[in-house]
Amino acid sequence: DVKVTQSSRYLVKRTGEKVFLECVQDMDHENMFWYRQDPGLGLRLIYFSYDVKMKEKGDIPEGYSVSREKKERFSLILESASTNQTSMYLCASILPSGTAYGYTFGSGTRLTVV
Amino acid sequence: GQQLNQSPQSMFIQEGEDVSMNCTSSSIFNTWLWYKQDPGEGPVLLIALYKAGELTSNGRLTAQFGITRKDSFLNISASIPSDVGIYFCAGPGKLNRDDKIIFGKGTRLHILP
């Protein structure tokens, strides 16, 4: 089975800290995505990447950056965490061709910024 | 841009009841997806639909791809406690690119004791 692993389930950080959220997929697949999920707002796309060293802004990139140095790893970076970035963060990778179309998601990282 | 409107936003039902939810799009889709998110977990793909009019089942779940290609429906029969969670519809993003998906805001299902 395809697996997407997010390194932390829960994180508590202080305002102004630099925060790294890590995501690793065990397929040799190009497309990876970072979403945040907030009550009433659904899933909102922050950044995505189609290949190593390649990144594109999603719908809400402000306050975030990403890094894709290796195909299997896609990192989300909060340069200076703020309380309005308290949220559930979900990483996803698109399913390999030949399987059902869609994403597979990690289990999520619930980030609290205090 | 493209939008998915999912309803209802939340549902409170008794165990054993059937559940219906739906999703409409502002534009035509060539694929519809339904995901379920258990509390504290990431969403998991339940059903994928690829053809207008298609009806697909996965256990007690049945989803349909509307013939207008602008809507989709998910039904759950004889609900059980583990059905609790958030159900998302989804479809291809801009220009029907297969590698970018947009999501509805979800239907949160609660089962009353």
Side-chain angles (χ1 to χ4, degrees):
Chain A
D1 268 359
V2 162
K3 200 164 172 156
V4 175
T5 302
Q6 292 183 235
S7 54
S8 304
R9 293 296 299 269
Y10 299 94
L11 277 178
V12 179
K13 297 291 181 181
R14 295 196 180 278
T15 301
E17 273 193 75
K18 189 168 186 175
V19 181
F20 293 85
L21 303 183
E22 306 288 347
C23 176
V24 176
Q25 45 110 347
D26 66 357
M27 319 159 275
D28 186 30
H29 215 267
E30 287 83 15
N31 301 348
M32 297 184 75
F33 307 81
W34 274 105
Y35 287 85
R36 67 177 280 177
Q37 182 179 18
D38 301 287
L41 298 178
L43 299 168
R44 293 182 291 166
L45 182 63
I46 305 171
Y47 266 97
F48 58 106
S49 170
Y50 289 121
D51 207 342
V52 174
K53 296 197 187 293
M54 180 274 172
K55 60 185 178 185
E56 284 194 38
K57 292 179 180 178
D59 301 316
I60 52 162
E62 296 78 18
Y64 303 94
S65 62
V66 289
S67 172
R68 186 101 182 262
E69 295 296 318
K70 294 184 178 180
K71 187 180 273 190
E72 66 269 20
R73 187 180 296 269
F74 190 34
S75 303
L76 180 69
I77 303 159
L78 287 65
E79 295 288 343
S80 178
S82 64
T83 54
N84 64 11
Q85 291 178 309
T86 292
S87 187
M88 172 74 136
Y89 290 88
L90 291 161
C91 175
S93 178
I94 195 160
L95 292 174
S97 58
T99 62
Y101 167 71
Y103 292 167
T104 189
F105 283 89
S107 296
T109 296
R110 186 163 290 283
L111 173 67
T112 302
V113 182
V114 297
Chain B
Q2 289 178 301
Q3 288 188 357
L4 290 182
N5 295 308
Q6 194 170 346
S7 66
Q9 216 171 356
S10 64
M11 304 181 73
F12 291 81
I13 62 165
Q14 300 280 352
E15 185 178 347
E17 281 187 40
D18 297 341
V19 172
S20 288
M21 59 190 79
N22 69 77
C23 197
T24 59
S25 167
S26 57
S27 57
I28 289 172
F29 276 9
N30 57 21
T31 304
W32 280 98
L33 307 172
W34 285 93
Y35 282 84
K36 185 201 174 193
Q37 184 179 27
D38 289 327
E41 298 292 332
V44 173
L45 183 65
L46 295 174
I47 293 176
L49 302 160
Y50 301 104
K51 205 162 78 170
E54 181 181 352
L55 190 71
T56 297
S57 293
N58 179 359
R60 292 176 296 104
L61 276 63
T62 303
Q64 183 162 23
F65 192 142
I67 56 171
T68 66
R69 296 170 64 195
K70 286 188 172 184
D71 55 8
S72 181
F73 307 88
L74 178 70
N75 296 314
I76 306 172
S77 63
S79 58
I80 60 177
S82 61
D83 291 332
V84 163
I86 305 175
Y87 293 81
F88 293 99
C89 62
K94 217 178 286 187
L95 301 178
N96 274 328
R97 283 193 69 165
D98 283 349
D99 50 4
K100 192 168 166 220
I101 296 174
I102 60 171
F103 291 85
K105 291 186 178 174
T107 294
R108 187 181 289 269
L109 181 63
H110 304 265
I111 297 185
L112 300 170

mmCIF file of all heavy atoms in Angstrom, chain B residues 36-71:
data_model
loop_
_atom_site.group_PDB
_atom_site.id
_atom_site.type_symbol
_atom_site.label_atom_id
_atom_site.label_comp_id
_atom_site.label_asym_id
_atom_site.label_seq_id
_atom_site.Cartn_x
_atom_site.Cartn_y
_atom_site.Cartn_z
ATOM 1 N N LYS B 36 -13.413 9.930 3.284
ATOM 2 C CA LYS B 36 -13.863 9.999 4.665
ATOM 3 C C LYS B 36 -12.666 10.275 5.567
ATOM 4 O O LYS B 36 -11.582 9.695 5.377
ATOM 5 C CB LYS B 36 -14.514 8.690 5.110
ATOM 6 C CG LYS B 36 -15.102 8.801 6.515
ATOM 7 C CD LYS B 36 -15.290 7.462 7.159
ATOM 8 C CE LYS B 36 -15.744 7.666 8.598
ATOM 9 N NZ LYS B 36 -15.659 6.442 9.397
ATOM 10 N N GLN B 37 -12.875 11.170 6.538
ATOM 11 C CA GLN B 37 -11.837 11.483 7.502
ATOM 12 C C GLN B 37 -12.317 11.072 8.885
ATOM 13 O O GLN B 37 -13.280 11.657 9.412
ATOM 14 C CB GLN B 37 -11.504 12.973 7.473
ATOM 15 C CG GLN B 37 -10.362 13.359 8.386
ATOM 16 C CD GLN B 37 -10.042 14.832 8.301
ATOM 17 O OE1 GLN B 37 -10.907 15.656 7.982
ATOM 18 N NE2 GLN B 37 -8.794 15.206 8.574
ATOM 19 N N ASP B 38 -11.653 10.089 9.467
ATOM 20 C CA ASP B 38 -11.937 9.726 10.851
ATOM 21 C C ASP B 38 -11.352 10.791 11.770
ATOM 22 O O ASP B 38 -10.364 11.447 11.421
ATOM 23 C CB ASP B 38 -11.327 8.372 11.189
ATOM 24 C CG ASP B 38 -12.053 7.233 10.516
ATOM 25 O OD1 ASP B 38 -13.282 7.342 10.333
ATOM 26 O OD2 ASP B 38 -11.399 6.242 10.171
ATOM 27 N N PRO B 39 -11.926 10.955 12.955
ATOM 28 C CA PRO B 39 -11.399 11.962 13.887
ATOM 29 C C PRO B 39 -9.900 11.767 14.138
ATOM 30 O O PRO B 39 -9.439 10.669 14.434
ATOM 31 C CB PRO B 39 -12.224 11.709 15.154
ATOM 32 C CG PRO B 39 -13.504 11.117 14.659
ATOM 33 C CD PRO B 39 -13.131 10.282 13.472
ATOM 34 N N GLY B 40 -9.120 12.846 13.963
ATOM 35 C CA GLY B 40 -7.690 12.801 14.229
ATOM 36 C C GLY B 40 -6.842 12.137 13.163
ATOM 37 O O GLY B 40 -5.649 11.923 13.369
ATOM 38 N N GLU B 41 -7.442 11.818 12.021
ATOM 39 C CA GLU B 41 -6.703 11.143 10.951
ATOM 40 C C GLU B 41 -6.799 11.945 9.653
ATOM 41 O O GLU B 41 -7.556 12.904 9.554
ATOM 42 C CB GLU B 41 -7.281 9.742 10.717
ATOM 43 C CG GLU B 41 -7.178 8.816 11.909
ATOM 44 C CD GLU B 41 -5.743 8.427 12.224
ATOM 45 O OE1 GLU B 41 -4.905 8.402 11.303
ATOM 46 O OE2 GLU B 41 -5.473 8.161 13.420
ATOM 47 N N GLY B 42 -6.016 11.516 8.646
ATOM 48 C CA GLY B 42 -6.147 12.119 7.333
ATOM 49 C C GLY B 42 -7.289 11.479 6.558
ATOM 50 O O GLY B 42 -7.721 10.368 6.857
ATOM 51 N N PRO B 43 -7.794 12.181 5.531
ATOM 52 C CA PRO B 43 -8.876 11.619 4.715
ATOM 53 C C PRO B 43 -8.424 10.369 3.970
ATOM 54 O O PRO B 43 -7.257 10.259 3.572
ATOM 55 C CB PRO B 43 -9.211 12.744 3.733
ATOM 56 C CG PRO B 43 -8.682 13.985 4.376
ATOM 57 C CD PRO B 43 -7.480 13.565 5.145
ATOM 58 N N VAL B 44 -9.367 9.460 3.767
ATOM 59 C CA VAL B 44 -9.104 8.216 3.044
ATOM 60 C C VAL B 44 -10.097 8.113 1.901
ATOM 61 O O VAL B 44 -11.292 8.361 2.087
ATOM 62 C CB VAL B 44 -9.248 7.008 3.990
ATOM 63 C CG1 VAL B 44 -9.157 5.704 3.207
ATOM 64 C CG2 VAL B 44 -8.181 7.043 5.077
ATOM 65 N N LEU B 45 -9.612 7.744 0.731
ATOM 66 C CA LEU B 45 -10.479 7.624 -0.443
ATOM 67 C C LEU B 45 -11.450 6.455 -0.264
ATOM 68 O O LEU B 45 -11.043 5.328 0.024
ATOM 69 C CB LEU B 45 -9.629 7.420 -1.693
ATOM 70 C CG LEU B 45 -10.383 7.337 -3.019
ATOM 71 C CD1 LEU B 45 -11.067 8.661 -3.346
ATOM 72 C CD2 LEU B 45 -9.432 6.953 -4.149
ATOM 73 N N LEU B 46 -12.761 6.750 -0.432
ATOM 74 C CA LEU B 46 -13.795 5.718 -0.323
ATOM 75 C C LEU B 46 -14.191 5.195 -1.697
ATOM 76 O O LEU B 46 -14.262 3.997 -1.929
ATOM 77 C CB LEU B 46 -15.042 6.304 0.342
ATOM 78 C CG LEU B 46 -14.934 6.763 1.792
ATOM 79 C CD1 LEU B 46 -16.238 7.453 2.204
ATOM 80 C CD2 LEU B 46 -14.634 5.606 2.709
ATOM 81 N N ILE B 47 -14.547 6.133 -2.567
ATOM 82 C CA ILE B 47 -15.111 5.764 -3.868
ATOM 83 C C ILE B 47 -14.641 6.777 -4.902
ATOM 84 O O ILE B 47 -14.592 7.974 -4.627
ATOM 85 C CB ILE B 47 -16.661 5.764 -3.815
ATOM 86 C CG1 ILE B 47 -17.177 4.638 -2.911
ATOM 87 C CG2 ILE B 47 -17.256 5.625 -5.217
ATOM 88 C CD1 ILE B 47 -18.696 4.626 -2.740
ATOM 89 N N ALA B 48 -14.334 6.278 -6.090
ATOM 90 C CA ALA B 48 -14.015 7.132 -7.238
ATOM 91 C C ALA B 48 -15.009 6.815 -8.355
ATOM 92 O O ALA B 48 -15.317 5.652 -8.616
ATOM 93 C CB ALA B 48 -12.587 6.880 -7.713
ATOM 94 N N LEU B 49 -15.508 7.863 -8.994
ATOM 95 C CA LEU B 49 -16.494 7.738 -10.075
ATOM 96 C C LEU B 49 -15.937 8.391 -11.320
ATOM 97 O O LEU B 49 -15.410 9.514 -11.257
ATOM 98 C CB LEU B 49 -17.802 8.434 -9.680
ATOM 99 C CG LEU B 49 -18.468 7.939 -8.402
ATOM 100 C CD1 LEU B 49 -19.425 8.984 -7.854
ATOM 101 C CD2 LEU B 49 -19.226 6.645 -8.682
ATOM 102 N N TYR B 50 -16.070 7.709 -12.461
ATOM 103 C CA TYR B 50 -15.395 8.189 -13.665
ATOM 104 C C TYR B 50 -16.334 8.478 -14.832
ATOM 105 O O TYR B 50 -15.891 9.011 -15.861
ATOM 106 C CB TYR B 50 -14.367 7.159 -14.134
ATOM 107 C CG TYR B 50 -13.314 6.860 -13.091
ATOM 108 C CD1 TYR B 50 -13.351 5.672 -12.362
ATOM 109 C CD2 TYR B 50 -12.298 7.766 -12.823
ATOM 110 C CE1 TYR B 50 -12.390 5.410 -11.405
ATOM 111 C CE2 TYR B 50 -11.333 7.500 -11.870
ATOM 112 C CZ TYR B 50 -11.385 6.324 -11.163
ATOM 113 O OH TYR B 50 -10.430 6.049 -10.214
ATOM 114 N N LYS B 51 -17.621 8.106 -14.694
ATOM 115 C CA LYS B 51 -18.517 8.229 -15.842
ATOM 116 C C LYS B 51 -19.862 8.764 -15.392
ATOM 117 O O LYS B 51 -20.419 8.327 -14.376
ATOM 118 C CB LYS B 51 -18.700 6.845 -16.463
ATOM 119 C CG LYS B 51 -19.060 6.847 -17.916
ATOM 120 C CD LYS B 51 -18.800 5.507 -18.559
ATOM 121 C CE LYS B 51 -19.879 4.501 -18.219
ATOM 122 N NZ LYS B 51 -19.736 3.269 -19.038
ATOM 123 N N ALA B 52 -20.436 9.701 -16.168
ATOM 124 C CA ALA B 52 -21.750 10.251 -15.846
ATOM 125 C C ALA B 52 -22.765 9.128 -15.734
ATOM 126 O O ALA B 52 -22.821 8.232 -16.577
ATOM 127 C CB ALA B 52 -22.175 11.245 -16.915
ATOM 128 N N GLY B 53 -23.574 9.181 -14.657
ATOM 129 C CA GLY B 53 -24.576 8.147 -14.417
ATOM 130 C C GLY B 53 -24.063 6.949 -13.648
ATOM 131 O O GLY B 53 -24.855 6.123 -13.173
ATOM 132 N N GLU B 54 -22.769 6.861 -13.480
ATOM 133 C CA GLU B 54 -22.175 5.694 -12.803
ATOM 134 C C GLU B 54 -22.646 5.617 -11.352
ATOM 135 O O GLU B 54 -22.723 6.617 -10.661
ATOM 136 C CB GLU B 54 -20.653 5.813 -12.860
ATOM 137 C CG GLU B 54 -19.885 4.671 -12.212
ATOM 138 C CD GLU B 54 -18.373 4.880 -12.296
ATOM 139 O OE1 GLU B 54 -17.941 5.827 -12.983
ATOM 140 O OE2 GLU B 54 -17.651 4.099 -11.665
ATOM 141 N N LEU B 55 -22.946 4.392 -10.937
ATOM 142 C CA LEU B 55 -23.347 4.116 -9.553
ATOM 143 C C LEU B 55 -22.366 3.078 -9.024
ATOM 144 O O LEU B 55 -22.235 2.001 -9.601
ATOM 145 C CB LEU B 55 -24.775 3.567 -9.535
ATOM 146 C CG LEU B 55 -25.484 3.429 -8.185
ATOM 147 C CD1 LEU B 55 -25.836 4.799 -7.631
ATOM 148 C CD2 LEU B 55 -26.761 2.611 -8.374
ATOM 149 N N THR B 56 -21.671 3.402 -7.944
ATOM 150 C CA THR B 56 -20.644 2.507 -7.421
ATOM 151 C C THR B 56 -20.837 2.296 -5.936
ATOM 152 O O THR B 56 -21.120 3.243 -5.203
ATOM 153 C CB THR B 56 -19.246 3.109 -7.681
ATOM 154 O OG1 THR B 56 -19.039 3.219 -9.075
ATOM 155 C CG2 THR B 56 -18.154 2.234 -7.090
ATOM 156 N N SER B 57 -20.668 1.056 -5.494
ATOM 157 C CA SER B 57 -20.835 0.737 -4.079
ATOM 158 C C SER B 57 -19.530 0.269 -3.466
ATOM 159 O O SER B 57 -18.680 -0.317 -4.134
ATOM 160 C CB SER B 57 -21.892 -0.359 -3.907
ATOM 161 O OG SER B 57 -23.158 0.120 -4.270
ATOM 162 N N ASN B 58 -19.415 0.541 -2.169
ATOM 163 C CA ASN B 58 -18.290 0.066 -1.372
ATOM 164 C C ASN B 58 -18.875 -0.327 -0.018
ATOM 165 O O ASN B 58 -19.015 0.494 0.883
ATOM 166 C CB ASN B 58 -17.244 1.173 -1.234
ATOM 167 C CG ASN B 58 -16.059 0.746 -0.388
ATOM 168 O OD1 ASN B 58 -16.021 -0.379 0.121
ATOM 169 N ND2 ASN B 58 -15.110 1.626 -0.234
ATOM 170 N N GLY B 59 -19.294 -1.571 0.096
ATOM 171 C CA GLY B 59 -19.970 -2.009 1.320
ATOM 172 C C GLY B 59 -21.323 -1.336 1.452
ATOM 173 O O GLY B 59 -22.155 -1.374 0.544
ATOM 174 N N ARG B 60 -21.532 -0.651 2.586
ATOM 175 C CA ARG B 60 -22.803 0.037 2.810
ATOM 176 C C ARG B 60 -22.843 1.414 2.156
ATOM 177 O O ARG B 60 -23.835 2.115 2.260
ATOM 178 C CB ARG B 60 -23.038 0.179 4.320
ATOM 179 C CG ARG B 60 -23.282 -1.153 5.030
ATOM 180 C CD ARG B 60 -23.421 -0.964 6.551
ATOM 181 N NE ARG B 60 -22.185 -0.455 7.123
ATOM 182 C CZ ARG B 60 -21.998 0.799 7.511
ATOM 183 N NH1 ARG B 60 -22.973 1.686 7.413
ATOM 184 N NH2 ARG B 60 -20.845 1.173 8.012
ATOM 185 N N LEU B 61 -21.786 1.795 1.497
ATOM 186 C CA LEU B 61 -21.718 3.102 0.844
ATOM 187 C C LEU B 61 -22.020 2.963 -0.643
ATOM 188 O O LEU B 61 -21.536 2.034 -1.290
ATOM 189 C CB LEU B 61 -20.314 3.701 0.993
ATOM 190 C CG LEU B 61 -19.984 4.444 2.260
ATOM 191 C CD1 LEU B 61 -20.057 3.554 3.488
ATOM 192 C CD2 LEU B 61 -18.601 5.054 2.162
ATOM 193 N N THR B 62 -22.815 3.899 -1.146
ATOM 194 C CA THR B 62 -23.111 3.955 -2.572
ATOM 195 C C THR B 62 -22.956 5.390 -3.026
ATOM 196 O O THR B 62 -23.467 6.308 -2.378
ATOM 197 C CB THR B 62 -24.541 3.478 -2.867
ATOM 198 O OG1 THR B 62 -24.705 2.158 -2.368
ATOM 199 C CG2 THR B 62 -24.811 3.499 -4.369
ATOM 200 N N ALA B 63 -22.243 5.597 -4.122
ATOM 201 C CA ALA B 63 -22.074 6.939 -4.668
ATOM 202 C C ALA B 63 -22.507 6.949 -6.118
ATOM 203 O O ALA B 63 -22.382 5.945 -6.826
ATOM 204 C CB ALA B 63 -20.610 7.381 -4.547
ATOM 205 N N GLN B 64 -23.016 8.096 -6.533
ATOM 206 C CA GLN B 64 -23.458 8.241 -7.919
ATOM 207 C C GLN B 64 -22.861 9.485 -8.548
ATOM 208 O O GLN B 64 -22.765 10.536 -7.911
ATOM 209 C CB GLN B 64 -24.983 8.306 -8.007
ATOM 210 C CG GLN B 64 -25.485 8.375 -9.451
ATOM 211 C CD GLN B 64 -26.948 8.003 -9.598
ATOM 212 O OE1 GLN B 64 -27.714 8.093 -8.645
ATOM 213 N NE2 GLN B 64 -27.323 7.576 -10.787
ATOM 214 N N PHE B 65 -22.479 9.364 -9.796
ATOM 215 C CA PHE B 65 -21.985 10.461 -10.624
ATOM 216 C C PHE B 65 -23.197 11.008 -11.367
ATOM 217 O O PHE B 65 -23.776 10.325 -12.195
ATOM 218 C CB PHE B 65 -20.954 9.880 -11.599
ATOM 219 C CG PHE B 65 -20.113 10.867 -12.343
ATOM 220 C CD1 PHE B 65 -18.784 10.590 -12.570
ATOM 221 C CD2 PHE B 65 -20.632 12.047 -12.872
ATOM 222 C CE1 PHE B 65 -17.965 11.462 -13.288
ATOM 223 C CE2 PHE B 65 -19.847 12.929 -13.573
ATOM 224 C CZ PHE B 65 -18.500 12.632 -13.790
ATOM 225 N N GLY B 66 -23.596 12.240 -11.078
ATOM 226 C CA GLY B 66 -24.801 12.793 -11.672
ATOM 227 C C GLY B 66 -24.717 12.905 -13.190
ATOM 228 O O GLY B 66 -23.629 13.141 -13.740
ATOM 229 N N ILE B 67 -25.857 12.749 -13.849
ATOM 230 C CA ILE B 67 -25.835 12.738 -15.312
ATOM 231 C C ILE B 67 -25.506 14.111 -15.898
ATOM 232 O O ILE B 67 -25.053 14.200 -17.044
ATOM 233 C CB ILE B 67 -27.167 12.217 -15.908
ATOM 234 C CG1 ILE B 67 -28.344 13.048 -15.397
ATOM 235 C CG2 ILE B 67 -27.348 10.743 -15.595
ATOM 236 C CD1 ILE B 67 -29.644 12.714 -16.109
ATOM 237 N N THR B 68 -25.689 15.175 -15.139
ATOM 238 C CA THR B 68 -25.297 16.507 -15.635
ATOM 239 C C THR B 68 -23.786 16.696 -15.528
ATOM 240 O O THR B 68 -23.243 17.674 -16.046
ATOM 241 C CB THR B 68 -25.983 17.620 -14.831
ATOM 242 O OG1 THR B 68 -25.486 17.583 -13.482
ATOM 243 C CG2 THR B 68 -27.486 17.466 -14.845
ATOM 244 N N ARG B 69 -23.109 15.813 -14.827
ATOM 245 C CA ARG B 69 -21.670 15.863 -14.538
ATOM 246 C C ARG B 69 -21.300 17.023 -13.617
ATOM 247 O O ARG B 69 -20.122 17.324 -13.437
ATOM 248 C CB ARG B 69 -20.843 15.919 -15.827
ATOM 249 C CG ARG B 69 -20.998 14.653 -16.658
ATOM 250 C CD ARG B 69 -20.385 14.785 -18.024
ATOM 251 N NE ARG B 69 -18.935 14.969 -17.929
ATOM 252 C CZ ARG B 69 -18.182 15.390 -18.934
ATOM 253 N NH1 ARG B 69 -18.717 15.665 -20.103
ATOM 254 N NH2 ARG B 69 -16.875 15.520 -18.776
ATOM 255 N N LYS B 70 -22.330 17.640 -13.017
ATOM 256 C CA LYS B 70 -22.071 18.742 -12.091
ATOM 257 C C LYS B 70 -22.459 18.375 -10.664
ATOM 258 O O LYS B 70 -22.458 19.230 -9.783
ATOM 259 C CB LYS B 70 -22.854 19.982 -12.515
ATOM 260 C CG LYS B 70 -22.292 20.678 -13.737
ATOM 261 C CD LYS B 70 -23.017 21.997 -13.964
ATOM 262 C CE LYS B 70 -22.350 22.800 -15.062
ATOM 263 N NZ LYS B 70 -22.993 24.121 -15.213
ATOM 264 N N ASP B 71 -22.837 17.122 -10.428
ATOM 265 C CA ASP B 71 -23.176 16.751 -9.069
ATOM 266 C C ASP B 71 -22.882 15.279 -8.798
ATOM 267 O O ASP B 71 -22.699 14.478 -9.714
ATOM 268 C CB ASP B 71 -24.631 17.083 -8.735
ATOM 269 C CG ASP B 71 -25.625 16.467 -9.705
ATOM 270 O OD1 ASP B 71 -25.218 15.639 -10.561
ATOM 271 O OD2 ASP B 71 -26.821 16.791 -9.608
#
